[in-house]
Amino acid sequence: MTRKKRRLYMLGLALLGLGSATALALTAFQDNIVFFYSPTQLQTQQVGDRNFRLGGLVEEGSIQKMQDGLTTSFRVTDTAHTIDVRYRGQLPDLFREGQGVVAEGKLTDGVFVAREVLAKHDENYMPPEVSEALKQAGVYKNPAESETKTAKKE
C-alpha cells in the first residue's frame, strides 16, 4: 500500500468516526429537547406525541382533587386560551390558583397529562417562558413596574 492510499484510508476512517460521533450526539440531544408552549400556542400548533412544557397561570376556581388523594386536575390559562391539566403526585407547596406554573408532560385526548409541575418561588418571580407568553397575549403586568407606579402616586 502506498503512502497516498494509507493517508486516504486514515482520512476516511477519521471522517467516519466524526460522522458517527455527530449522529450519536444529535440523537441524544433530540431525546432531551423539551419545547415550551402556552395555551394559545397549543391552539395553533400540532405537538404530536412528545413531551413539552406548558406554562401559564392556574385558573381561579379550577383546582380539583380526585378521591385517590394523589390526582389533581386544574386549568392553565394565558387569559386568551385555557387547557385542562391532570397531574398525579404531590404538588409544590407554592402551587395555588392565580399563580404561574410550568408543567411538563404530554397532550392526551385534549387533556395535558403532566409528569412534573413547577410553581413560581415568590410573588414577583415568573418563569421567563410564562411571562413572554403573557406579554404576547397582551396581559402581562410587570410586578416591579406596578410597585414603582404605586410608590410614585403616594
Side-chain angles (χ1 to χ4, degrees):
M1 190 180 323
T2 65
R3 283 180 74 188
K4 190 174 185 180
K5 271 190 174 181
R6 196 176 327 145
R7 227 181 288 141
L8 219 76
Y9 285 133
M10 294 301 263
L11 180 63
L13 285 173
L15 287 175
L16 182 66
L18 181 64
S20 298
T22 302
L24 286 172
L26 289 176
T27 55
F29 284 138
Q30 186 178 14
D31 291 341
N32 292 327
I33 292 177
V34 179
F35 292 99
F36 176 87
Y37 295 98
S38 69
T40 298
Q41 290 170 326
L42 284 178
Q43 300 296 321
T44 60
Q45 297 178 7
Q46 295 294 327
V47 294
D49 188 36
R50 67 174 184 205
N51 280 330
F52 65 93
R53 287 185 177 163
L54 171 69
L57 301 173
V58 178
E59 189 175 70
E60 295 286 336
S62 69
I63 299 174
Q64 297 177 342
K65 287 271 193 190
M66 300 300 150
Q67 290 194 359
D68 65 4
L70 286 176
T71 306
T72 306
S73 66
F74 55 95
R75 289 188 299 273
V76 173
T77 183
D78 60 3
T79 68
H81 291 91
T82 302
I83 195 115
D84 291 326
V85 178
R86 189 175 62 234
Y87 175 68
R88 183 174 171 83
Q90 186 173 357
L91 290 165
D93 291 338
L94 296 173
F95 178 86
R96 60 183 162 266
E97 296 172 345
Q99 297 294 319
V101 67
V102 174
E104 186 176 327
K106 290 183 179 181
L107 196 59
T108 307
D109 298 326
V111 175
F112 184 79
V113 179
R115 63 181 177 94
E116 182 178 17
V117 174
L118 307 170
K120 67 181 203 167
H121 61 72
D122 74 2
E123 68 277 356
N124 293 325
Y125 175 77
M126 187 173 297
E129 296 93 349
V130 173
S131 62
E132 186 62 35
L134 291 174
K135 284 177 188 175
Q136 287 177 356
V139 296
Y140 178 74
K141 294 178 184 134
N142 188 345
E145 289 177 6
S146 60
E147 288 175 9
T148 306
K149 288 178 184 176
T150 306
K152 286 182 182 179
K153 287 180 183 179
E154 293 174 1

